[in-house]
mmCIF file with all atom_site columns, all heavy atoms in Angstrom:
data_model
loop_
_atom_site.group_PDB
_atom_site.id
_atom_site.type_symbol
_atom_site.label_atom_id
_atom_site.label_alt_id
_atom_site.label_comp_id
_atom_site.label_asym_id
_atom_site.label_entity_id
_atom_site.label_seq_id
_atom_site.pdbx_PDB_ins_code
_atom_site.Cartn_x
_atom_site.Cartn_y
_atom_site.Cartn_z
_atom_site.occupancy
_atom_site.B_iso_or_equiv
_atom_site.pdbx_formal_charge
_atom_site.auth_seq_id
_atom_site.auth_comp_id
_atom_site.auth_asym_id
_atom_site.auth_atom_id
_atom_site.pdbx_PDB_model_num
ATOM 1   N N   . ARG X 1 109 ? 17.652 -46.525 27.735 1.00 97.00 ? 271 ARG X N   1
ATOM 2   C CA  . ARG X 1 109 ? 17.068 -45.343 28.382 1.00 97.00 ? 271 ARG X CA  1
ATOM 3   C C   . ARG X 1 109 ? 17.437 -45.353 29.865 1.00 97.00 ? 271 ARG X C   1
ATOM 4   O O   . ARG X 1 109 ? 17.496 -46.402 30.494 1.00 97.00 ? 271 ARG X O   1
ATOM 5   C CB  . ARG X 1 109 ? 15.540 -45.320 28.212 1.00 97.00 ? 271 ARG X CB  1
ATOM 6   C CG  . ARG X 1 109 ? 15.164 -44.994 26.770 1.00 97.00 ? 271 ARG X CG  1
ATOM 7   C CD  . ARG X 1 109 ? 13.697 -44.741 26.566 1.00 97.00 ? 271 ARG X CD  1
ATOM 8   N NE  . ARG X 1 109 ? 13.443 -44.492 25.154 1.00 97.00 ? 271 ARG X NE  1
ATOM 9   C CZ  . ARG X 1 109 ? 13.146 -43.295 24.639 1.00 97.00 ? 271 ARG X CZ  1
ATOM 10  N NH1 . ARG X 1 109 ? 13.033 -42.232 25.422 1.00 97.00 ? 271 ARG X NH1 1
ATOM 11  N NH2 . ARG X 1 109 ? 12.940 -43.153 23.340 1.00 97.00 ? 271 ARG X NH2 1
ATOM 12  N N   . GLU X 1 110 ? 17.675 -44.152 30.380 1.00 95.00 ? 272 GLU X N   1
ATOM 13  C CA  . GLU X 1 110 ? 17.977 -44.025 31.805 1.00 95.00 ? 272 GLU X CA  1
ATOM 14  C C   . GLU X 1 110 ? 16.658 -43.861 32.541 1.00 95.00 ? 272 GLU X C   1
ATOM 15  O O   . GLU X 1 110 ? 15.823 -43.035 32.159 1.00 95.00 ? 272 GLU X O   1
ATOM 16  C CB  . GLU X 1 110 ? 18.868 -42.807 32.046 1.00 95.00 ? 272 GLU X CB  1
ATOM 17  C CG  . GLU X 1 110 ? 19.251 -42.675 33.509 1.00 95.00 ? 272 GLU X CG  1
ATOM 18  C CD  . GLU X 1 110 ? 20.296 -41.601 33.778 1.00 95.00 ? 272 GLU X CD  1
ATOM 19  O OE1 . GLU X 1 110 ? 20.706 -40.907 32.821 1.00 95.00 ? 272 GLU X OE1 1
ATOM 20  O OE2 . GLU X 1 110 ? 20.682 -41.452 34.947 1.00 95.00 ? 272 GLU X OE2 1
ATOM 21  N N   . ILE X 1 111 ? 16.467 -44.638 33.595 1.00 95.00 ? 273 ILE X N   1
ATOM 22  C CA  . ILE X 1 111 ? 15.211 -44.552 34.343 1.00 95.00 ? 273 ILE X CA  1
ATOM 23  C C   . ILE X 1 111 ? 15.129 -43.189 35.011 1.00 95.00 ? 273 ILE X C   1
ATOM 24  O O   . ILE X 1 111 ? 16.061 -42.748 35.687 1.00 95.00 ? 273 ILE X O   1
ATOM 25  C CB  . ILE X 1 111 ? 15.118 -45.691 35.382 1.00 95.00 ? 273 ILE X CB  1
ATOM 26  C CG1 . ILE X 1 111 ? 15.068 -47.047 34.659 1.00 95.00 ? 273 ILE X CG1 1
ATOM 27  C CG2 . ILE X 1 111 ? 13.907 -45.510 36.285 1.00 95.00 ? 273 ILE X CG2 1
ATOM 28  C CD1 . ILE X 1 111 ? 15.205 -48.258 35.568 1.00 95.00 ? 273 ILE X CD1 1
ATOM 29  N N   . ASN X 1 112 ? 14.016 -42.528 34.802 1.00 90.00 ? 274 ASN X N   1
ATOM 30  C CA  . ASN X 1 112 ? 13.807 -41.169 35.278 1.00 90.00 ? 274 ASN X CA  1
ATOM 31  C C   . ASN X 1 112 ? 13.445 -41.169 36.769 1.00 90.00 ? 274 ASN X C   1
ATOM 32  O O   . ASN X 1 112 ? 12.366 -41.619 37.143 1.00 90.00 ? 274 ASN X O   1
ATOM 33  C CB  . ASN X 1 112 ? 12.672 -40.537 34.458 1.00 90.00 ? 274 ASN X CB  1
ATOM 34  C CG  . ASN X 1 112 ? 12.518 -39.070 34.759 1.00 90.00 ? 274 ASN X CG  1
ATOM 35  O OD1 . ASN X 1 112 ? 13.434 -38.438 35.289 1.00 90.00 ? 274 ASN X OD1 1
ATOM 36  N ND2 . ASN X 1 112 ? 11.357 -38.539 34.419 1.00 90.00 ? 274 ASN X ND2 1
ATOM 37  N N   . ILE X 1 113 ? 14.367 -40.702 37.607 1.00 82.00 ? 275 ILE X N   1
ATOM 38  C CA  . ILE X 1 113 ? 14.083 -40.648 39.049 1.00 82.00 ? 275 ILE X CA  1
ATOM 39  C C   . ILE X 1 113 ? 14.543 -39.309 39.615 1.00 82.00 ? 275 ILE X C   1
ATOM 40  O O   . ILE X 1 113 ? 15.428 -38.670 39.064 1.00 82.00 ? 275 ILE X O   1
ATOM 41  C CB  . ILE X 1 113 ? 14.819 -41.764 39.825 1.00 82.00 ? 275 ILE X CB  1
ATOM 42  C CG1 . ILE X 1 113 ? 16.299 -41.825 39.377 1.00 82.00 ? 275 ILE X CG1 1
ATOM 43  C CG2 . ILE X 1 113 ? 14.147 -43.094 39.673 1.00 82.00 ? 275 ILE X CG2 1
ATOM 44  C CD1 . ILE X 1 113 ? 17.171 -42.568 40.336 1.00 82.00 ? 275 ILE X CD1 1
ATOM 45  N N   . PRO X 1 114 ? 13.935 -38.883 40.727 1.00 69.00 ? 276 PRO X N   1
ATOM 46  C CA  . PRO X 1 114 ? 14.383 -37.643 41.358 1.00 69.00 ? 276 PRO X CA  1
ATOM 47  C C   . PRO X 1 114 ? 15.871 -37.731 41.707 1.00 69.00 ? 276 PRO X C   1
ATOM 48  O O   . PRO X 1 114 ? 16.335 -38.779 42.176 1.00 69.00 ? 276 PRO X O   1
ATOM 49  C CB  . PRO X 1 114 ? 13.540 -37.570 42.634 1.00 69.00 ? 276 PRO X CB  1
ATOM 50  C CG  . PRO X 1 114 ? 12.385 -38.477 42.406 1.00 69.00 ? 276 PRO X CG  1
ATOM 51  C CD  . PRO X 1 114 ? 12.848 -39.524 41.456 1.00 69.00 ? 276 PRO X CD  1
ATOM 52  N N   . LYS X 1 115 ? 16.616 -36.660 41.487 1.00 62.00 ? 277 LYS X N   1
ATOM 53  C CA  . LYS X 1 115 ? 18.071 -36.626 41.722 1.00 62.00 ? 277 LYS X CA  1
ATOM 54  C C   . LYS X 1 115 ? 18.437 -37.157 43.111 1.00 62.00 ? 277 LYS X C   1
ATOM 55  O O   . LYS X 1 115 ? 19.402 -37.882 43.281 1.00 62.00 ? 277 LYS X O   1
ATOM 56  C CB  . LYS X 1 115 ? 18.610 -35.184 41.598 1.00 62.00 ? 277 LYS X CB  1
ATOM 57  C CG  . LYS X 1 115 ? 18.804 -34.718 40.166 1.00 62.00 ? 277 LYS X CG  1
ATOM 58  C CD  . LYS X 1 115 ? 20.155 -35.152 39.582 1.00 62.00 ? 277 LYS X CD  1
ATOM 59  C CE  . LYS X 1 115 ? 20.263 -34.738 38.107 1.00 62.00 ? 277 LYS X CE  1
ATOM 60  N NZ  . LYS X 1 115 ? 20.879 -35.732 37.248 1.00 62.00 ? 277 LYS X NZ  1
ATOM 61  N N   . VAL X 1 116 ? 17.633 -36.801 44.100 1.00 53.00 ? 278 VAL X N   1
ATOM 62  C CA  . VAL X 1 116 ? 17.970 -37.131 45.486 1.00 53.00 ? 278 VAL X CA  1
ATOM 63  C C   . VAL X 1 116 ? 18.167 -38.621 45.695 1.00 53.00 ? 278 VAL X C   1
ATOM 64  O O   . VAL X 1 116 ? 18.937 -39.062 46.531 1.00 53.00 ? 278 VAL X O   1
ATOM 65  C CB  . VAL X 1 116 ? 16.897 -36.595 46.444 1.00 53.00 ? 278 VAL X CB  1
ATOM 66  C CG1 . VAL X 1 116 ? 15.547 -37.244 46.174 1.00 53.00 ? 278 VAL X CG1 1
ATOM 67  C CG2 . VAL X 1 116 ? 17.306 -36.805 47.884 1.00 53.00 ? 278 VAL X CG2 1
ATOM 68  N N   . LYS X 1 117 ? 17.480 -39.426 44.889 1.00 50.00 ? 279 LYS X N   1
ATOM 69  C CA  . LYS X 1 117 ? 17.536 -40.862 45.109 1.00 50.00 ? 279 LYS X CA  1
ATOM 70  C C   . LYS X 1 117 ? 18.865 -41.489 44.709 1.00 50.00 ? 279 LYS X C   1
ATOM 71  O O   . LYS X 1 117 ? 19.121 -42.654 44.982 1.00 50.00 ? 279 LYS X O   1
ATOM 72  C CB  . LYS X 1 117 ? 16.389 -41.544 44.361 1.00 50.00 ? 279 LYS X CB  1
ATOM 73  C CG  . LYS X 1 117 ? 15.033 -41.274 44.983 1.00 50.00 ? 279 LYS X CG  1
ATOM 74  C CD  . LYS X 1 117 ? 14.104 -42.455 44.802 1.00 50.00 ? 279 LYS X CD  1
ATOM 75  C CE  . LYS X 1 117 ? 12.788 -42.245 45.548 1.00 50.00 ? 279 LYS X CE  1
ATOM 76  N NZ  . LYS X 1 117 ? 11.840 -43.336 45.302 1.00 50.00 ? 279 LYS X NZ  1
ATOM 77  N N   . PHE X 1 118 ? 19.754 -40.740 44.061 1.00 47.00 ? 280 PHE X N   1
ATOM 78  C CA  . PHE X 1 118 ? 21.033 -41.320 43.643 1.00 47.00 ? 280 PHE X CA  1
ATOM 79  C C   . PHE X 1 118 ? 21.916 -41.739 44.811 1.00 47.00 ? 280 PHE X C   1
ATOM 80  O O   . PHE X 1 118 ? 22.832 -42.512 44.654 1.00 47.00 ? 280 PHE X O   1
ATOM 81  C CB  . PHE X 1 118 ? 21.810 -40.356 42.735 1.00 47.00 ? 280 PHE X CB  1
ATOM 82  C CG  . PHE X 1 118 ? 21.405 -40.486 41.312 1.00 47.00 ? 280 PHE X CG  1
ATOM 83  C CD1 . PHE X 1 118 ? 20.751 -39.461 40.655 1.00 47.00 ? 280 PHE X CD1 1
ATOM 84  C CD2 . PHE X 1 118 ? 21.643 -41.662 40.622 1.00 47.00 ? 280 PHE X CD2 1
ATOM 85  C CE1 . PHE X 1 118 ? 20.357 -39.593 39.333 1.00 47.00 ? 280 PHE X CE1 1
ATOM 86  C CE2 . PHE X 1 118 ? 21.251 -41.807 39.297 1.00 47.00 ? 280 PHE X CE2 1
ATOM 87  C CZ  . PHE X 1 118 ? 20.605 -40.766 38.653 1.00 47.00 ? 280 PHE X CZ  1
ATOM 88  N N   . SER X 1 119 ? 21.656 -41.177 45.987 1.00 51.00 ? 281 SER X N   1
ATOM 89  C CA  . SER X 1 119 ? 22.504 -41.530 47.123 1.00 51.00 ? 281 SER X CA  1
ATOM 90  C C   . SER X 1 119 ? 22.006 -42.754 47.883 1.00 51.00 ? 281 SER X C   1
ATOM 91  O O   . SER X 1 119 ? 22.488 -43.083 48.941 1.00 51.00 ? 281 SER X O   1
ATOM 92  C CB  . SER X 1 119 ? 22.604 -40.339 48.077 1.00 51.00 ? 281 SER X CB  1
ATOM 93  O OG  . SER X 1 119 ? 21.335 -40.098 48.633 1.00 51.00 ? 281 SER X OG  1
ATOM 94  N N   . LEU X 1 120 ? 21.013 -43.430 47.320 1.00 66.00 ? 282 LEU X N   1
ATOM 95  C CA  . LEU X 1 120 ? 20.460 -44.610 47.979 1.00 66.00 ? 282 LEU X CA  1
ATOM 96  C C   . LEU X 1 120 ? 21.491 -45.737 48.108 1.00 66.00 ? 282 LEU X C   1
ATOM 97  O O   . LEU X 1 120 ? 22.378 -45.867 47.281 1.00 66.00 ? 282 LEU X O   1
ATOM 98  C CB  . LEU X 1 120 ? 19.291 -45.145 47.165 1.00 66.00 ? 282 LEU X CB  1
ATOM 99  C CG  . LEU X 1 120 ? 18.031 -44.278 47.124 1.00 66.00 ? 282 LEU X CG  1
ATOM 100 C CD1 . LEU X 1 120 ? 17.133 -44.792 46.020 1.00 66.00 ? 282 LEU X CD1 1
ATOM 101 C CD2 . LEU X 1 120 ? 17.325 -44.339 48.456 1.00 66.00 ? 282 LEU X CD2 1
ATOM 102 N N   . SER X 1 121 ? 21.288 -46.595 49.083 1.00 76.00 ? 283 SER X N   1
ATOM 103 C CA  . SER X 1 121 ? 22.108 -47.804 49.163 1.00 76.00 ? 283 SER X CA  1
ATOM 104 C C   . SER X 1 121 ? 21.713 -48.721 48.010 1.00 76.00 ? 283 SER X C   1
ATOM 105 O O   . SER X 1 121 ? 20.673 -48.552 47.382 1.00 76.00 ? 283 SER X O   1
ATOM 106 C CB  . SER X 1 121 ? 21.849 -48.513 50.494 1.00 76.00 ? 283 SER X CB  1
ATOM 107 O OG  . SER X 1 121 ? 20.598 -49.166 50.459 1.00 76.00 ? 283 SER X OG  1
ATOM 108 N N   . PHE X 1 122 ? 22.552 -49.721 47.735 1.00 83.00 ? 284 PHE X N   1
ATOM 109 C CA  . PHE X 1 122 ? 22.285 -50.618 46.620 1.00 83.00 ? 284 PHE X CA  1
ATOM 110 C C   . PHE X 1 122 ? 20.936 -51.322 46.773 1.00 83.00 ? 284 PHE X C   1
ATOM 111 O O   . PHE X 1 122 ? 20.121 -51.344 45.858 1.00 83.00 ? 284 PHE X O   1
ATOM 112 C CB  . PHE X 1 122 ? 23.415 -51.653 46.492 1.00 83.00 ? 284 PHE X CB  1
ATOM 113 C CG  . PHE X 1 122 ? 23.194 -52.604 45.348 1.00 83.00 ? 284 PHE X CG  1
ATOM 114 C CD1 . PHE X 1 122 ? 23.308 -52.178 44.039 1.00 83.00 ? 284 PHE X CD1 1
ATOM 115 C CD2 . PHE X 1 122 ? 22.840 -53.928 45.586 1.00 83.00 ? 284 PHE X CD2 1
ATOM 116 C CE1 . PHE X 1 122 ? 23.090 -53.046 42.975 1.00 83.00 ? 284 PHE X CE1 1
ATOM 117 C CE2 . PHE X 1 122 ? 22.620 -54.801 44.531 1.00 83.00 ? 284 PHE X CE2 1
ATOM 118 C CZ  . PHE X 1 122 ? 22.746 -54.360 43.224 1.00 83.00 ? 284 PHE X CZ  1
ATOM 119 N N   . THR X 1 123 ? 20.702 -51.894 47.958 1.00 84.00 ? 285 THR X N   1
ATOM 120 C CA  . THR X 1 123 ? 19.458 -52.614 48.203 1.00 84.00 ? 285 THR X CA  1
ATOM 121 C C   . THR X 1 123 ? 18.243 -51.711 47.975 1.00 84.00 ? 285 THR X C   1
ATOM 122 O O   . THR X 1 123 ? 17.277 -52.096 47.327 1.00 84.00 ? 285 THR X O   1
ATOM 123 C CB  . THR X 1 123 ? 19.443 -53.157 49.646 1.00 84.00 ? 285 THR X CB  1
ATOM 124 O OG1 . THR X 1 123 ? 20.634 -53.901 49.852 1.00 84.00 ? 285 THR X OG1 1
ATOM 125 C CG2 . THR X 1 123 ? 18.258 -54.046 49.886 1.00 84.00 ? 285 THR X CG2 1
ATOM 126 N N   . ARG X 1 124 ? 18.322 -50.486 48.505 1.00 83.00 ? 286 ARG X N   1
ATOM 127 C CA  . ARG X 1 124 ? 17.236 -49.517 48.328 1.00 83.00 ? 286 ARG X CA  1
ATOM 128 C C   . ARG X 1 124 ? 17.059 -49.145 46.861 1.00 83.00 ? 286 ARG X C   1
ATOM 129 O O   . ARG X 1 124 ? 15.938 -48.970 46.383 1.00 83.00 ? 286 ARG X O   1
ATOM 130 C CB  . ARG X 1 124 ? 17.544 -48.235 49.118 1.00 83.00 ? 286 ARG X CB  1
ATOM 131 C CG  . ARG X 1 124 ? 17.297 -48.321 50.577 1.00 83.00 ? 286 ARG X CG  1
ATOM 132 C CD  . ARG X 1 124 ? 15.858 -47.916 50.903 1.00 83.00 ? 286 ARG X CD  1
ATOM 133 N NE  . ARG X 1 124 ? 15.367 -48.792 51.931 1.00 83.00 ? 286 ARG X NE  1
ATOM 134 C CZ  . ARG X 1 124 ? 14.201 -49.409 51.892 1.00 83.00 ? 286 ARG X CZ  1
ATOM 135 N NH1 . ARG X 1 124 ? 13.375 -49.233 50.900 1.00 83.00 ? 286 ARG X NH1 1
ATOM 136 N NH2 . ARG X 1 124 ? 13.838 -50.205 52.860 1.00 83.00 ? 286 ARG X NH2 1
ATOM 137 N N   . SER X 1 125 ? 18.180 -49.004 46.132 1.00 87.00 ? 287 SER X N   1
ATOM 138 C CA  . SER X 1 125 ? 18.092 -48.653 44.711 1.00 87.00 ? 287 SER X CA  1
ATOM 139 C C   . SER X 1 125 ? 17.325 -49.731 43.958 1.00 87.00 ? 287 SER X C   1
ATOM 140 O O   . SER X 1 125 ? 16.530 -49.441 43.068 1.00 87.00 ? 287 SER X O   1
ATOM 141 C CB  . SER X 1 125 ? 19.486 -48.534 44.086 1.00 87.00 ? 287 SER X CB  1
ATOM 142 O OG  . SER X 1 125 ? 20.238 -47.547 44.734 1.00 87.00 ? 287 SER X OG  1
ATOM 143 N N   . VAL X 1 126 ? 17.582 -50.985 44.328 1.00 92.00 ? 288 VAL X N   1
ATOM 144 C CA  . VAL X 1 126 ? 16.895 -52.082 43.659 1.00 92.00 ? 288 VAL X CA  1
ATOM 145 C C   . VAL X 1 126 ? 15.407 -52.043 43.992 1.00 92.00 ? 288 VAL X C   1
ATOM 146 O O   . VAL X 1 126 ? 14.554 -52.046 43.104 1.00 92.00 ? 288 VAL X O   1
ATOM 147 C CB  . VAL X 1 126 ? 17.497 -53.443 44.077 1.00 92.00 ? 288 VAL X CB  1
ATOM 148 C CG1 . VAL X 1 126 ? 16.656 -54.588 43.529 1.00 92.00 ? 288 VAL X CG1 1
ATOM 149 C CG2 . VAL X 1 126 ? 18.941 -53.548 43.616 1.00 92.00 ? 288 VAL X CG2 1
ATOM 150 N N   . LEU X 1 127 ? 15.097 -51.979 45.297 1.00 90.00 ? 289 LEU X N   1
ATOM 151 C CA  . LEU X 1 127 ? 13.695 -52.072 45.723 1.00 90.00 ? 289 LEU X CA  1
ATOM 152 C C   . LEU X 1 127 ? 12.890 -50.831 45.330 1.00 90.00 ? 289 LEU X C   1
ATOM 153 O O   . LEU X 1 127 ? 11.713 -50.934 45.003 1.00 90.00 ? 289 LEU X O   1
ATOM 154 C CB  . LEU X 1 127 ? 13.602 -52.297 47.232 1.00 90.00 ? 289 LEU X CB  1
ATOM 155 C CG  . LEU X 1 127 ? 14.172 -53.630 47.749 1.00 90.00 ? 289 LEU X CG  1
ATOM 156 C CD1 . LEU X 1 127 ? 14.097 -53.699 49.271 1.00 90.00 ? 289 LEU X CD1 1
ATOM 157 C CD2 . LEU X 1 127 ? 13.431 -54.825 47.143 1.00 90.00 ? 289 LEU X CD2 1
ATOM 158 N N   . ASP X 1 128 ? 13.529 -49.656 45.360 1.00 89.00 ? 290 ASP X N   1
ATOM 159 C CA  . ASP X 1 128 ? 12.773 -48.419 45.131 1.00 89.00 ? 290 ASP X CA  1
ATOM 160 C C   . ASP X 1 128 ? 12.795 -47.941 43.686 1.00 89.00 ? 290 ASP X C   1
ATOM 161 O O   . ASP X 1 128 ? 11.960 -47.128 43.293 1.00 89.00 ? 290 ASP X O   1
ATOM 162 C CB  . ASP X 1 128 ? 13.323 -47.292 46.026 1.00 89.00 ? 290 ASP X CB  1
ATOM 163 C CG  . ASP X 1 128 ? 13.132 -47.602 47.507 1.00 89.00 ? 290 ASP X CG  1
ATOM 164 O OD1 . ASP X 1 128 ? 12.382 -48.545 47.817 1.00 89.00 ? 290 ASP X OD1 1
ATOM 165 O OD2 . ASP X 1 128 ? 13.740 -46.916 48.339 1.00 89.00 ? 290 ASP X OD2 1
ATOM 166 N N   . ILE X 1 129 ? 13.771 -48.402 42.894 1.00 92.00 ? 291 ILE X N   1
ATOM 167 C CA  . ILE X 1 129 ? 13.875 -47.890 41.518 1.00 92.00 ? 291 ILE X CA  1
ATOM 168 C C   . ILE X 1 129 ? 13.679 -49.003 40.489 1.00 92.00 ? 291 ILE X C   1
ATOM 169 O O   . ILE X 1 129 ? 12.805 -48.916 39.628 1.00 92.00 ? 291 ILE X O   1
ATOM 170 C CB  . ILE X 1 129 ? 15.238 -47.189 41.302 1.00 92.00 ? 291 ILE X CB  1
ATOM 171 C CG1 . ILE X 1 129 ? 15.365 -46.015 42.287 1.00 92.00 ? 291 ILE X CG1 1
ATOM 172 C CG2 . ILE X 1 129 ? 15.375 -46.701 39.865 1.00 92.00 ? 291 ILE X CG2 1
ATOM 173 C CD1 . ILE X 1 129 ? 16.729 -45.377 42.322 1.00 92.00 ? 291 ILE X CD1 1
ATOM 174 N N   . LEU X 1 130 ? 14.491 -50.072 40.562 1.00 95.00 ? 292 LEU X N   1
ATOM 175 C CA  . LEU X 1 130 ? 14.401 -51.105 39.516 1.00 95.00 ? 292 LEU X CA  1
ATOM 176 C C   . LEU X 1 130 ? 13.088 -51.874 39.567 1.00 95.00 ? 292 LEU X C   1
ATOM 177 O O   . LEU X 1 130 ? 12.446 -52.097 38.535 1.00 95.00 ? 292 LEU X O   1
ATOM 178 C CB  . LEU X 1 130 ? 15.555 -52.106 39.639 1.00 95.00 ? 292 LEU X CB  1
ATOM 179 C CG  . LEU X 1 130 ? 16.987 -51.607 39.439 1.00 95.00 ? 292 LEU X CG  1
ATOM 180 C CD1 . LEU X 1 130 ? 17.928 -52.787 39.302 1.00 95.00 ? 292 LEU X CD1 1
ATOM 181 C CD2 . LEU X 1 130 ? 17.102 -50.698 38.230 1.00 95.00 ? 292 LEU X CD2 1
ATOM 182 N N   . ILE X 1 131 ? 12.702 -52.314 40.774 1.00 96.00 ? 293 ILE X N   1
ATOM 183 C CA  . ILE X 1 131 ? 11.505 -53.166 40.880 1.00 96.00 ? 293 ILE X CA  1
ATOM 184 C C   . ILE X 1 131 ? 10.247 -52.429 40.394 1.00 96.00 ? 293 ILE X C   1
ATOM 185 O O   . ILE X 1 131 ? 9.483  -52.991 39.604 1.00 96.00 ? 293 ILE X O   1
ATOM 186 C CB  . ILE X 1 131 ? 11.316 -53.675 42.336 1.00 96.00 ? 293 ILE X CB  1
ATOM 187 C CG1 . ILE X 1 131 ? 12.570 -54.423 42.822 1.00 96.00 ? 293 ILE X CG1 1
ATOM 188 C CG2 . ILE X 1 131 ? 10.089 -54.582 42.455 1.00 96.00 ? 293 ILE X CG2 1
ATOM 189 C CD1 . ILE X 1 131 ? 12.991 -55.592 42.003 1.00 96.00 ? 293 ILE X CD1 1
#
Side-chain angles (χ1 to χ4, degrees):
Chain X
R271 288 189 182 253
E272 183 172 2
I273 296 170
N274 188 19
I275 47 163
K277 281 276 176 221
V278 63
K279 289 212 174 176
F280 274 113
S281 66
L282 291 167
S283 75
F284 180 71
T285 307
R286 282 270 141 228
S287 301
V288 172
L289 295 176
D290 296 347
I291 300 171
L292 297 192
I293 304 302

